[in-house]
Amino acid sequence: MSRDYRKTVRGLGLVLKRVTICWLALLAATFVSAAGWVLSAAAQTRHTPAAASAGTIANIRIEGIQRIEPETIRSYLLVQPGDPWDPERIDRSLKALFNTGLFADVKLDREGNVLVVRVVENPILNRIAFEGNSKIADKDLNTEIQSRPRTVYTRTRVQNDVRRILELYRRRGRFAASVEPKIIQLPENRVDLVFEINEGPSTGVRSINFVGNRVFSDGTLRTAIETKESRWYRFLSTADTYDPDRLTYDRELLRKFYLTEGYADFRVASAVAELTPDRDGFVITFTIDEGERYRFGKVDVNIGLKDLPREAVLPLLTVQSGDWYDAQELEHSISVLTDALGNRGYAFVEVKPEVNRNREEHTVDVVFDVHEGPQVYVERIDISGNVRTLDKVIRREFLLVEGDAFNTNKMQRSKDRVKNLGFFKKVEVSNSPGSAPDRTVINTEIEEQSTGELSVGLGFSTTDGPLADVSVRERNFLGRGQDIRIGTVISFNSQQIDLSYTEPYFLDKNIAAGIDIFEVKTSPTSNFFTGVSPVYQQFSYGGALRTGFQLSENLRQTWKYTGRSDDITNIQSNASLFIQLQAGTHLTSAIGQVLLYDRRDNRQEPTSGYYASIGNDFAGAGFGVQYIRNKLSAGYYYSVAPEWVLGLTAEAGDVFGWGGQQVLLQDRFFVGGDNLRGFAPAGIGPRDIVSGDALGGNKYYLGSLALSVPLGLPKELGISGRVFTDFGTLWSNDQKNLVLTPAQLAATGGVQPVIADSAAIRAAAGVGVSWKSPVGPIRLDLAIPIKKEPFDKTQLFHVSFGTRF
């Protein structure tokens, strides 16, 4: 056999061998694929019986149910006995049963011509509990989740509840919190669901940065927003924890801040919060575009009302050409115009500002378009959400009643009046269309809050020393808006107990009426700080009837009748003879009034505005001591610059007897300490030269000029400084020209006591610091007298603090 032949045969053999191998591999793959198809078909047949052969469903058998009725399951099936075997409809029936959430597992099998439905029911939730939570109460978590006792347990719902709880903790600034649900099996297919919570540390704000600010520093902008950087002194605040909702609010606060400063083009490009790699805090970055600063250009009014000249409206505007643009002041002008024109009889007036911005000259022209609005009347006022508070308590705060011409501004002010009651956590007022095009319905939704108070106060002052007060108060008694209070105060110098009751709308009129009952024991001339012991004690008890009403929005009139008994007792043997002569009990029957005009922006910490009041008391109405007391007071506040407030206050008083009577010790004025810093309590005025005891005076005047100054500390610390000067005097005493009887002269060793009295002005200057501390306001003043009399008593430091909890 030739070599070529052998090579040919060998080649054919190799080809046949390779073909054989490929054929065997293809055959094996086909076999495996067929086996997989058979197994898949078998599995599908077990859960969703296919129509392997023609036929109909003879019967449906249900297995595994415990609580659920068979008919409930049948209602979800898309096939019934007598229907043909349809794989698609059986598969949809399987999904429908799963989607009910009632079952942990569902199988549909075919046994002959019988469709077998095998189910495993989900358990019933017996109880839901939370473990490990201390920052969020159980009731708050329960309102957040959807799972409820005596409902069906499903994994999907529990997983959603876990996500909601985590989101709730993230809103509280705890991004490291974790929640693990645990199931406790109980008999009868019941389970207890326990959410094990690890709250983790609070995720604070490590830093707040601003990009794009040229005019205002980062520190200034940080004071304008609600979110604060984490610092040790913010342990009682939550403002330094990251909150996405608060970040959105901060964007709006930044916008308002710049718009009130004249930057009409301002915008916040982005506000990004990034979690640090160690997940210990957030870095917040605001990217802003300040734009240019604008002034008001042309300011005019376009009148569309009959018999109303333009010249009568222009003086009402609070914005003037040339002033820096202020969006808040623009809204204020609209409110002022609406109110003023409404009071002139234009019930349906509508004020719309047309704002034109001149980007080249950086001015904003404003034309207030005043025209007749649609004639809409209040059909009714609906109130909802008040469970305890009576409807009339809310309705009487509304400036609108059924039938009035609708006014948006009055509706907003009514909302503010209801909120100012302090009875409600939330107040929402809106209007909706009524039964006719010219009718509207005012809807008021409120959420009540606790109005009862148990107050315990602790404090200290250089005058009274340690003090404590306890009071129980209900500001919405029986849901009628009535205020009832009982309290007691105990200090080094005084002990007091009082009961007061106030009806804010007496006889359903806008007149407040009240009654006070009190008992007071005090030592007016003692001083804890200097160690001056009580020279005498004054024991007083009695009561008062009072009423007050608003004459206008800023003018209030108050009337008061007081019946009181005063007993001067426990007089020390070395006390002034003039005090000893006042010993005994004296009755007082007095009628008084106070007329107050108040335009301050805030009564507690005013930054602008003024007030003035006049008060008069007439004693001797029917019985008792006889005197007339008059008092004037006034104050003016002006913001020189942000956080720099200049305040000037003054007061004066005069008391004199009538019907031949003299003014007694308990009815005189005493000056020093709180009302004249730099001098001790009762430190100036008529004084017994021998004993040094203060005797009080009949006439006085006081003044104070103070400038609040920032100390460069973070605003949220609540620390502010001030420089001040106090001045005033106290003089005149009815006992000054007293001629002693021989017996009285004998008691003094034949020495005629002399009263030192001078109307010369006293003055002091000093500095002070106030701190809104976690335990209450603390005030520290250092004042040096720069004008005084030789017999005056001075005091360098004056400190006081107190709190209520």
Side-chain angles (χ1 to χ4, degrees), residues 48 132 233 248 258 279 363 446 518 520 628 689 708 767 803:
T48 56
Y233 48 79
T248 302
Y258 271 94
R279 302 182 65 84
T363 59
I446 65 172
F518 58 87
V520 183
I628 296 175
I689 293 181
S708 299
V767 295
T803 184

Side-chain angles (χ1 to χ4, degrees), residues 459-499:
F460 175 86
S461 75
T462 48
T463 303
D464 295 324
L467 59 89
D469 74 76
V470 180
S471 66
V472 179
R473 182 183 183 189
E474 172 55 58
R475 295 180 291 109
N476 188 15
F477 185 61
L478 300 179
R480 299 177 177 272
Q482 299 160 342
D483 192 333
I484 185 170
R485 177 187 179 275
I486 182 171
T488 181
V489 179
I490 302 174
S491 73
F492 175 77
N493 283 349
S494 63
Q495 297 83 45
Q496 172 180 336
I497 184 170
D498 60 90
L499 171 67

Side-chain angles (χ1 to χ4, degrees), residues 392-399 417 421 480-483 501-514 548 550 556:
K392 71 175 184 179
V393 174
I394 303 170
R395 290 181 183 275
R396 66 195 184 192
E397 299 300 327
F398 270 81
L399 301 177
R417 286 166 59 95
L421 289 173
R480 299 177 177 272
Q482 299 160 342
D483 192 333
Y501 171 82
T502 302
E503 168 57 68
Y505 277 77
F506 184 63
L507 299 178
D508 289 330
K509 305 293 184 181
N510 191 13
I511 300 174
Q550 293 290 141
R556 183 171 183 82

